[in-house]
Amino acid sequence: MCSSDLYELGIRYNQPYRKSARIVGDTMGKYHPHGDSSIYDALVVMSQDFKKGLPLVDGHGNFGSIEGDGAAAMRYTEARLQKVTQEAILADLDKDVVDFVSNFDETEKEPCVLPARIPNLLVNGTEGIAVGMATSMPPHNLGEVIDGVKAYMKNPDITVRELMQYIPGPDFPTGGLITNRDELLSIYESGTGKIKIRGRIETEAAKGGRLRLVISEIPYTMIGANISKFLMDIVALIDSKKTSDIVDISNQSSKEGIRIVLELKDKISSESISGSAGGDAAEFANIPSGAASSAVSEALEALMVLGYSQGETAPILGKLDPSLSTQELIKETLRLMTAKNMR
């Protein structure tokens, strides 16, 4: 009810911000007499662009971060409606197009549903749990959802497979690559399943001829404390000598976006691959022996350190020009894998 209350209070996108405490208090007094913390939490989430692909509230002040930092107290922050919320979700609220019911003490009227012009549930997704049931719906791209709605309006008997021509899959605010795209049809048809997401990795040249791997997009489930956990897990691998290929890891993320940097050592040896396989590195990786240059082996090990299996990287590496440098091989392999996942 936060967005409805913002609309009722006249806190529009083109009006000055108002204190969050005022919005929370008004919502609690009129519509939600169950404490202020849950109301403010909902207001905060609706303003976070790393949790919502289409934020519904324009927050001013400290509304938390992707790394799990909490929002400031409601007495310090301010908010107002986003333009899309006002025009696509609340615009017709005063035109008697939805039913209204009495509030908890029958002193006010509240809408049963909002007169939304777009299916916000599909665009922003939702997570919730109730008595004997739970749901977890992923977010989707706004433009694709609108195209899907138009197709459904033209053909109410459209199949899920046909609808996926317009909405090919989820679109997470944090980016990432869906690795099990071939299972999406079954997931959409049945309403159950797991969507597997992998971060996006890019390569950069560092000083001294070293290779630098940059994570620019992360899985949606990593937001919050899981980013710190990921960094600590990598540090633990380095400290325990389970990997000697990463010499440093740093989190250079900012308001511009995610940037987790892994610095690799000068020469990534292939001995560890040979040792773990108990034989020749080329045979282990299913790469033709003629193509098993040191650069190919180094690229293979670097990709395995990052969590890519030999089964998905080796066939691609085996088709590339072995005269390419390690950096070029990794970059091309990641590009081809990304293209494959996008299909």
Side-chain angles (χ1 to χ4, degrees):
M1 296 304 299
C2 284
S3 57
S4 176
D5 191 69
L6 282 162
Y7 187 83
E8 186 177 319
L9 288 172
I11 311 175
R12 314 298 168 86
Y13 74 92
N14 54 356
Q15 298 295 321
Y17 294 95
R18 300 282 286 275
K19 282 290 185 182
S20 298
R22 166 68 190 278
I23 300 166
V24 170
D26 199 68
T27 303
M28 183 167 60
K30 292 181 178 178
Y31 309 116
H32 190 87
H34 302 295
D36 56 3
S37 61
S38 59
I39 301 173
Y40 186 52
D41 287 347
L43 183 72
V44 168
V45 170
M46 286 194 292
S47 72
Q48 294 175 328
D49 58 5
F50 53 86
K51 285 189 177 178
K52 298 294 182 182
L54 185 69
L56 303 178
V57 171
D58 180 8
H60 184 249
N62 177 13
F63 275 81
S65 73
I66 193 172
E67 296 181 29
D69 301 314
M74 69 180 79
R75 61 183 178 275
Y76 298 122
T77 61
E78 299 175 326
R80 65 185 179 188
L81 287 174
Q82 289 277 13
K83 185 176 182 179
V84 66
T85 314
Q86 182 174 325
E87 296 186 350
I89 296 179
L90 299 169
D92 297 326
L93 193 59
D94 55 353
K95 294 182 180 178
D96 197 29
V97 295
V98 296
D99 293 330
F100 280 73
V101 297
S102 298
N103 67 341
F104 63 93
D105 62 358
E106 299 187 349
T107 60
E108 300 279 347
K109 293 291 184 179
E110 59 181 335
C112 294
V113 294
L114 296 177
R117 300 179 183 182
I118 58 173
N120 179 60
L121 188 64
L122 291 178
V123 174
N124 277 324
T126 187
E127 280 191 67
I129 186 168
V131 181
M133 63 187 72
T135 185
S136 180
M137 297 176 62
H140 296 80
N141 180 272
L142 174 61
E144 293 174 352
V145 169
I146 291 175
D147 290 341
V149 169
K150 290 166 64 178
Y152 179 77
M153 292 172 66
K154 293 177 180 178
N155 178 19
D157 297 321
I158 190 171
T159 65
V160 175
R161 186 183 295 275
E162 292 170 339
L163 199 56
M164 286 184 68
Q165 295 177 11
Y166 304 94
I167 310 175
D171 184 12
F172 295 95
T174 57
L177 302 171
I178 297 175
T179 61
N180 62 332
R181 293 180 64 89
D182 55 335
E183 299 177 20
L184 289 179
L185 176 60
S186 173
I187 292 173
Y188 279 130
E189 287 180 333
S190 64
T192 60
K194 292 183 178 181
I195 299 172
K196 300 176 183 177
I197 317 168
R198 169 172 285 159
R200 185 183 296 274
I201 303 175
E202 301 167 351
T203 59
E204 292 181 0
K207 292 181 179 179
R210 286 182 174 177
L211 185 66
R212 176 188 295 150
L213 300 177
V214 180
I215 301 173
S216 57
E217 297 177 8
I218 60 173
Y220 187 61
T221 52
M222 268 187 68
I223 58 177
N226 285 327
I227 295 179
S228 297
K229 182 179 182 300
F230 170 75
L231 297 173
M232 294 304 296
D233 288 345
I234 296 294
V235 171
L237 289 174
I238 298 172
D239 292 342
S240 63
K241 309 296 183 183
K242 290 185 178 179
T243 178
S244 58
D245 302 317
I246 302 174
V247 297
D248 188 31
I249 181 170
S250 59
N251 186 4
Q252 301 176 10
S253 303
S254 65
K255 291 182 179 179
E256 303 301 319
I258 288 292
R259 181 179 169 86
I260 300 174
V261 180
L262 292 84
E263 302 279 356
L264 303 184
K265 67 182 183 181
D266 292 337
K267 278 289 185 179
I268 304 175
S269 65
S270 60
E271 281 75 16
S272 61
I273 296 182
S274 301
S276 62
D280 182 73
E283 181 181 344
F284 171 69
N286 287 326
I287 298 176
S289 57
S293 66
S294 60
V296 172
S297 298
E298 290 167 7
L300 176 62
E301 183 169 358
L303 291 164
M304 291 178 67
V305 167
L306 291 169
Y308 293 93
S309 70
Q310 66 168 59
E312 57 185 340
T313 57
I316 297 176
L317 280 168
K319 296 177 182 178
L320 299 179
D321 183 356
S323 65
L324 295 174
S325 66
T326 301
Q327 179 181 344
E328 291 170 332
L329 286 168
I330 293 176
K331 182 181 294 186
E332 184 64 10
T333 301
L334 291 173
R335 185 189 70 79
L336 293 172
M337 290 178 65
T338 300
K340 179 180 179 182
N341 286 327
M342 291 295 288
R343 288 200 295 269

